Amino acid sequence: MINLDDMGLIKRLDPSDMLGLVENLPQQCEEAVEIAGKFNLNRKYLDGFIPANIIITGLGGSAIGGDFLRTYLVNESKVPILINRYYHLPEFVNKNTFVIAVSYSGNTEETLSAYQEAKKKGAKIVCLTSGGKLAGYCKSDGIPFVLIPGGLPPRASFGYQQIGLTGILEKAGIIKNKKTEIKEMISVLKSISAEMRRDVPLEKNPAKKMAVQLYGKIPVIYGSQDLTDAVALRWKCQFNENSKSFAFNNVFPELNHNEIVGWEMPKELLKNFVVILLRDKGEHPQVKKRFEITRELLGGIACATEEVWTRGNSLFARIFSSIHTGDFVSVYLAFLNEQNPTPVKRIEELKKRLAM
């Protein structure tokens, strides 16, 4: 097994420094606050616009920020928020819909298609991108957009995207100012990064320890609806893209109505699964019991069952904290798998073939 404390080996396995991008998420968030603060959403563009619904359209690393926002605002927003991951928009989209198109590269074909459809439907549109065709469309169509720094893997721009989306909704008057929550979140991220960065040895580094436990196993990540559901998806996707590992995710209480029965067969394969329970202090009392009972039921079936608790006071900070932890674990697991965490060769191959 790879020695995760060997800095020279990590440098060779990580030539694009994905680990450095993870370690610097707090600083990225600080920069994102400045970018969002400078974004000018012309009041004339909104002209008294009150949305009946909000659509955040994007794919992959450009969609997870929407998932975060939907979860975070589910008990605050009076307006329903839907995440769209497709070429087309729902039929109900019209002039009363607020569409936020997100494409980090600016060239995601599904998002570009959805943008054009939003225009045809007369929806109010704002975009978030680092450039590409989407930025070009916005300039020619007079659509406001948040321009974030480019050159990163989309999944590594989470801070820019999440705070950018939050800033758009603030400037649109849809949500209240989140300055206090974001300040706390950045403080929490700095604490986590200090604990999990590369120079913290294995015996004191919880992210490295979890990566070792997951080595050669299949992660199954369970979150809680409207608390850590988006986090569970993020962990799953980071294991896929960074670690080059298969992974599964689901949420309580839904999984107790179906998936829990699947922990029967094939028995030998199930011994290779490690269950990660993403816990939060805001869990419904019955969901808390479901976590505890499910952990007991899976004892002796899965290889192991581990809990990861969110940190912080505000839900904004708590969600971000678990995402940051998962990002660290996924990169350390990539090193154990002797993989460069940055390339996503199959995705690039798919794009090439689709363009033929």
Side-chain angles (χ1 to χ4, degrees), residues 261-287:
V261 184
W263 285 92
E264 295 283 351
M265 296 291 176
K267 293 185 184 298
E268 290 304 311
L269 180 60
L270 295 177
K271 293 178 182 178
N272 290 316
F273 288 2
V274 174
V275 180
I276 302 169
L277 303 175
L278 300 177
R279 305 297 306 273
D280 182 80
K281 66 181 182 180
E283 293 163 2
H284 186 284
Q286 286 300 101
V287 170

mmCIF file of all heavy atoms in Angstrom, residues 261-287:
data_model
loop_
_atom_site.group_PDB
_atom_site.id
_atom_site.type_symbol
_atom_site.label_atom_id
_atom_site.label_comp_id
_atom_site.label_asym_id
_atom_site.label_seq_id
_atom_site.Cartn_x
_atom_site.Cartn_y
_atom_site.Cartn_z
ATOM 1 N N VAL A 261 -33.339 -3.764 2.243
ATOM 2 C CA VAL A 261 -33.618 -5.181 1.988
ATOM 3 C C VAL A 261 -32.558 -5.795 1.075
ATOM 4 O O VAL A 261 -32.299 -6.999 1.106
ATOM 5 C CB VAL A 261 -35.023 -5.352 1.352
ATOM 6 C CG1 VAL A 261 -35.360 -6.827 1.188
ATOM 7 C CG2 VAL A 261 -36.082 -4.665 2.211
ATOM 8 N N GLY A 262 -31.926 -4.951 0.275
ATOM 9 C CA GLY A 262 -30.914 -5.447 -0.656
ATOM 10 C C GLY A 262 -29.632 -5.905 0.008
ATOM 11 O O GLY A 262 -28.784 -6.533 -0.650
ATOM 12 N N TRP A 263 -29.492 -5.600 1.305
ATOM 13 C CA TRP A 263 -28.290 -6.033 2.029
ATOM 14 C C TRP A 263 -28.413 -7.506 2.445
ATOM 15 O O TRP A 263 -28.257 -7.863 3.607
ATOM 16 C CB TRP A 263 -28.062 -5.148 3.251
ATOM 17 C CG TRP A 263 -27.517 -3.794 2.911
ATOM 18 C CD1 TRP A 263 -28.213 -2.655 2.677
ATOM 19 C CD2 TRP A 263 -26.139 -3.452 2.756
ATOM 20 N NE1 TRP A 263 -27.378 -1.610 2.377
ATOM 21 C CE2 TRP A 263 -26.084 -2.069 2.417
ATOM 22 C CE3 TRP A 263 -24.938 -4.163 2.860
ATOM 23 C CZ2 TRP A 263 -24.880 -1.396 2.193
ATOM 24 C CZ3 TRP A 263 -23.745 -3.492 2.638
ATOM 25 C CH2 TRP A 263 -23.725 -2.134 2.314
ATOM 26 N N GLU A 264 -28.712 -8.324 1.463
ATOM 27 C CA GLU A 264 -28.831 -9.767 1.687
ATOM 28 C C GLU A 264 -27.891 -10.556 0.777
ATOM 29 O O GLU A 264 -27.184 -11.450 1.221
ATOM 30 C CB GLU A 264 -30.276 -10.223 1.437
ATOM 31 C CG GLU A 264 -31.309 -9.653 2.404
ATOM 32 C CD GLU A 264 -31.290 -10.331 3.758
ATOM 33 O OE1 GLU A 264 -30.598 -11.357 3.908
ATOM 34 O OE2 GLU A 264 -31.959 -9.815 4.680
ATOM 35 N N MET A 265 -27.905 -10.195 -0.494
ATOM 36 C CA MET A 265 -27.154 -10.954 -1.490
ATOM 37 C C MET A 265 -26.447 -9.997 -2.470
ATOM 38 O O MET A 265 -26.955 -8.910 -2.721
ATOM 39 C CB MET A 265 -28.102 -11.870 -2.285
ATOM 40 C CG MET A 265 -28.781 -12.939 -1.468
ATOM 41 S SD MET A 265 -27.571 -14.171 -0.939
ATOM 42 C CE MET A 265 -28.642 -15.203 0.092
ATOM 43 N N PRO A 266 -25.350 -10.457 -3.070
ATOM 44 C CA PRO A 266 -24.554 -11.653 -2.744
ATOM 45 C C PRO A 266 -23.685 -11.411 -1.512
ATOM 46 O O PRO A 266 -22.988 -10.382 -1.430
ATOM 47 C CB PRO A 266 -23.712 -11.878 -4.001
ATOM 48 C CG PRO A 266 -23.584 -10.528 -4.612
ATOM 49 C CD PRO A 266 -24.829 -9.765 -4.272
ATOM 50 N N LYS A 267 -23.743 -12.307 -0.574
ATOM 51 C CA LYS A 267 -23.117 -12.107 0.729
ATOM 52 C C LYS A 267 -21.623 -11.823 0.645
ATOM 53 O O LYS A 267 -21.095 -10.966 1.356
ATOM 54 C CB LYS A 267 -23.367 -13.331 1.614
ATOM 55 C CG LYS A 267 -24.828 -13.509 2.005
ATOM 56 C CD LYS A 267 -25.003 -14.664 2.967
ATOM 57 C CE LYS A 267 -26.482 -14.902 3.295
ATOM 58 N NZ LYS A 267 -27.111 -13.753 3.960
ATOM 59 N N GLU A 268 -20.924 -12.521 -0.230
ATOM 60 C CA GLU A 268 -19.479 -12.328 -0.330
ATOM 61 C C GLU A 268 -19.138 -10.940 -0.862
ATOM 62 O O GLU A 268 -18.175 -10.310 -0.428
ATOM 63 C CB GLU A 268 -18.860 -13.409 -1.225
ATOM 64 C CG GLU A 268 -18.870 -14.795 -0.602
ATOM 65 C CD GLU A 268 -18.160 -14.820 0.755
ATOM 66 O OE1 GLU A 268 -17.029 -14.296 0.853
ATOM 67 O OE2 GLU A 268 -18.757 -15.333 1.723
ATOM 68 N N LEU A 269 -19.945 -10.471 -1.821
ATOM 69 C CA LEU A 269 -19.704 -9.132 -2.376
ATOM 70 C C LEU A 269 -19.964 -8.057 -1.335
ATOM 71 O O LEU A 269 -19.227 -7.061 -1.246
ATOM 72 C CB LEU A 269 -20.591 -8.908 -3.601
ATOM 73 C CG LEU A 269 -20.455 -7.551 -4.308
ATOM 74 C CD1 LEU A 269 -19.034 -7.353 -4.814
ATOM 75 C CD2 LEU A 269 -21.435 -7.443 -5.458
ATOM 76 N N LEU A 270 -20.995 -8.207 -0.531
ATOM 77 C CA LEU A 270 -21.352 -7.204 0.475
ATOM 78 C C LEU A 270 -20.245 -6.997 1.498
ATOM 79 O O LEU A 270 -20.151 -5.941 2.118
ATOM 80 C CB LEU A 270 -22.656 -7.597 1.176
ATOM 81 C CG LEU A 270 -23.910 -7.608 0.293
ATOM 82 C CD1 LEU A 270 -25.119 -8.094 1.092
ATOM 83 C CD2 LEU A 270 -24.193 -6.232 -0.280
ATOM 84 N N LYS A 271 -19.391 -8.014 1.669
ATOM 85 C CA LYS A 271 -18.274 -7.886 2.609
ATOM 86 C C LYS A 271 -17.228 -6.884 2.128
ATOM 87 O O LYS A 271 -16.348 -6.481 2.890
ATOM 88 C CB LYS A 271 -17.627 -9.254 2.831
ATOM 89 C CG LYS A 271 -18.522 -10.248 3.569
ATOM 90 C CD LYS A 271 -17.835 -11.594 3.717
ATOM 91 C CE LYS A 271 -18.755 -12.595 4.404
ATOM 92 N NZ LYS A 271 -18.122 -13.940 4.522
ATOM 93 N N ASN A 272 -17.331 -6.499 0.865
ATOM 94 C CA ASN A 272 -16.391 -5.517 0.306
ATOM 95 C C ASN A 272 -16.928 -4.090 0.358
ATOM 96 O O ASN A 272 -16.291 -3.170 -0.151
ATOM 97 C CB ASN A 272 -16.059 -5.879 -1.144
ATOM 98 C CG ASN A 272 -15.219 -7.131 -1.255
ATOM 99 O OD1 ASN A 272 -14.270 -7.300 -0.501
ATOM 100 N ND2 ASN A 272 -15.575 -8.012 -2.172
ATOM 101 N N PHE A 273 -18.109 -3.900 0.948
ATOM 102 C CA PHE A 273 -18.706 -2.578 1.039
ATOM 103 C C PHE A 273 -18.364 -1.932 2.383
ATOM 104 O O PHE A 273 -18.406 -2.584 3.427
ATOM 105 C CB PHE A 273 -20.230 -2.653 0.929
ATOM 106 C CG PHE A 273 -20.733 -2.981 -0.455
ATOM 107 C CD1 PHE A 273 -19.877 -3.221 -1.506
ATOM 108 C CD2 PHE A 273 -22.098 -3.046 -0.697
ATOM 109 C CE1 PHE A 273 -20.343 -3.520 -2.774
ATOM 110 C CE2 PHE A 273 -22.592 -3.348 -1.966
ATOM 111 C CZ PHE A 273 -21.704 -3.580 -3.007
ATOM 112 N N VAL A 274 -18.035 -0.645 2.333
ATOM 113 C CA VAL A 274 -17.871 0.153 3.548
ATOM 114 C C VAL A 274 -18.955 1.220 3.536
ATOM 115 O O VAL A 274 -19.048 2.006 2.585
ATOM 116 C CB VAL A 274 -16.481 0.811 3.621
ATOM 117 C CG1 VAL A 274 -16.406 1.758 4.830
ATOM 118 C CG2 VAL A 274 -15.389 -0.231 3.721
ATOM 119 N N VAL A 275 -19.792 1.246 4.561
ATOM 120 C CA VAL A 275 -20.890 2.201 4.649
ATOM 121 C C VAL A 275 -20.429 3.447 5.398
ATOM 122 O O VAL A 275 -19.874 3.357 6.490
ATOM 123 C CB VAL A 275 -22.110 1.581 5.367
ATOM 124 C CG1 VAL A 275 -23.242 2.600 5.454
ATOM 125 C CG2 VAL A 275 -22.569 0.327 4.635
ATOM 126 N N ILE A 276 -20.649 4.602 4.783
ATOM 127 C CA ILE A 276 -20.299 5.888 5.388
ATOM 128 C C ILE A 276 -21.600 6.620 5.678
ATOM 129 O O ILE A 276 -22.365 6.945 4.762
ATOM 130 C CB ILE A 276 -19.410 6.724 4.452
ATOM 131 C CG1 ILE A 276 -18.132 5.960 4.116
ATOM 132 C CG2 ILE A 276 -19.082 8.075 5.089
ATOM 133 C CD1 ILE A 276 -17.314 6.590 3.000
ATOM 134 N N LEU A 277 -21.872 6.877 6.937
ATOM 135 C CA LEU A 277 -23.090 7.555 7.358
ATOM 136 C C LEU A 277 -22.776 9.023 7.613
ATOM 137 O O LEU A 277 -21.990 9.361 8.504
ATOM 138 C CB LEU A 277 -23.641 6.910 8.631
ATOM 139 C CG LEU A 277 -23.950 5.410 8.549
ATOM 140 C CD1 LEU A 277 -24.360 4.879 9.917
ATOM 141 C CD2 LEU A 277 -25.044 5.129 7.527
ATOM 142 N N LEU A 278 -23.369 9.892 6.826
ATOM 143 C CA LEU A 278 -23.150 11.334 6.958
ATOM 144 C C LEU A 278 -24.182 11.894 7.927
ATOM 145 O O LEU A 278 -25.362 12.024 7.603
ATOM 146 C CB LEU A 278 -23.247 12.010 5.588
ATOM 147 C CG LEU A 278 -22.244 11.513 4.541
ATOM 148 C CD1 LEU A 278 -22.484 12.208 3.202
ATOM 149 C CD2 LEU A 278 -20.805 11.733 4.999
ATOM 150 N N ARG A 279 -23.727 12.237 9.111
ATOM 151 C CA ARG A 279 -24.624 12.632 10.192
ATOM 152 C C ARG A 279 -24.635 14.156 10.388
ATOM 153 O O ARG A 279 -23.674 14.853 10.063
ATOM 154 C CB ARG A 279 -24.193 11.969 11.512
ATOM 155 C CG ARG A 279 -24.067 10.458 11.469
ATOM 156 C CD ARG A 279 -25.401 9.766 11.181
ATOM 157 N NE ARG A 279 -26.431 10.190 12.107
ATOM 158 C CZ ARG A 279 -26.650 9.618 13.319
ATOM 159 N NH1 ARG A 279 -25.874 8.615 13.717
ATOM 160 N NH2 ARG A 279 -27.628 10.044 14.092
ATOM 161 N N ASP A 280 -25.755 14.645 10.933
ATOM 162 C CA ASP A 280 -25.908 16.074 11.181
ATOM 163 C C ASP A 280 -26.794 16.274 12.399
ATOM 164 O O ASP A 280 -27.759 15.523 12.614
ATOM 165 C CB ASP A 280 -26.528 16.766 9.967
ATOM 166 C CG ASP A 280 -26.654 18.263 10.167
ATOM 167 O OD1 ASP A 280 -25.641 18.972 10.002
ATOM 168 O OD2 ASP A 280 -27.767 18.727 10.492
ATOM 169 N N LYS A 281 -26.493 17.299 13.175
ATOM 170 C CA LYS A 281 -27.242 17.550 14.409
ATOM 171 C C LYS A 281 -28.690 17.948 14.162
ATOM 172 O O LYS A 281 -29.507 17.917 15.071
ATOM 173 C CB LYS A 281 -26.546 18.632 15.237
ATOM 174 C CG LYS A 281 -26.527 20.013 14.585
ATOM 175 C CD LYS A 281 -25.794 21.013 15.462
ATOM 176 C CE LYS A 281 -25.791 22.412 14.874
ATOM 177 N NZ LYS A 281 -25.073 23.391 15.738
ATOM 178 N N GLY A 282 -29.023 18.315 12.921
ATOM 179 C CA GLY A 282 -30.379 18.735 12.610
ATOM 180 C C GLY A 282 -31.314 17.615 12.187
ATOM 181 O O GLY A 282 -32.444 17.877 11.762
ATOM 182 N N GLU A 283 -30.874 16.377 12.302
ATOM 183 C CA GLU A 283 -31.692 15.247 11.867
ATOM 184 C C GLU A 283 -33.030 15.181 12.600
ATOM 185 O O GLU A 283 -33.107 15.447 13.811
ATOM 186 C CB GLU A 283 -30.943 13.935 12.108
ATOM 187 C CG GLU A 283 -29.712 13.758 11.252
ATOM 188 C CD GLU A 283 -28.768 12.686 11.788
ATOM 189 O OE1 GLU A 283 -29.100 12.049 12.815
ATOM 190 O OE2 GLU A 283 -27.694 12.499 11.182
ATOM 191 N N HIS A 284 -34.079 14.823 11.865
ATOM 192 C CA HIS A 284 -35.372 14.539 12.474
ATOM 193 C C HIS A 284 -35.179 13.397 13.477
ATOM 194 O O HIS A 284 -34.402 12.462 13.222
ATOM 195 C CB HIS A 284 -36.357 14.117 11.376
ATOM 196 C CG HIS A 284 -37.766 13.938 11.835
ATOM 197 N ND1 HIS A 284 -38.181 12.829 12.553
ATOM 198 C CD2 HIS A 284 -38.864 14.711 11.657
ATOM 199 C CE1 HIS A 284 -39.467 12.930 12.793
ATOM 200 N NE2 HIS A 284 -39.901 14.077 12.271
ATOM 201 N N PRO A 285 -35.843 13.449 14.633
ATOM 202 C CA PRO A 285 -35.652 12.394 15.644
ATOM 203 C C PRO A 285 -35.833 10.972 15.101
ATOM 204 O O PRO A 285 -35.079 10.063 15.470
ATOM 205 C CB PRO A 285 -36.733 12.724 16.685
ATOM 206 C CG PRO A 285 -36.927 14.192 16.563
ATOM 207 C CD PRO A 285 -36.766 14.497 15.105
ATOM 208 N N GLN A 286 -36.788 10.796 14.199
ATOM 209 C CA GLN A 286 -36.993 9.462 13.641
ATOM 210 C C GLN A 286 -35.880 9.074 12.675
ATOM 211 O O GLN A 286 -35.501 7.906 12.583
ATOM 212 C CB GLN A 286 -38.351 9.381 12.938
ATOM 213 C CG GLN A 286 -39.552 9.320 13.880
ATOM 214 C CD GLN A 286 -39.514 8.111 14.789
ATOM 215 O OE1 GLN A 286 -39.144 8.200 15.961
ATOM 216 N NE2 GLN A 286 -39.904 6.951 14.251
ATOM 217 N N VAL A 287 -35.347 10.065 11.964
ATOM 218 C CA VAL A 287 -34.216 9.788 11.067
ATOM 219 C C VAL A 287 -32.982 9.426 11.889
ATOM 220 O O VAL A 287 -32.214 8.526 11.515
ATOM 221 C CB VAL A 287 -33.933 10.990 10.147
ATOM 222 C CG1 VAL A 287 -32.605 10.805 9.395
ATOM 223 C CG2 VAL A 287 -35.081 11.168 9.154
#
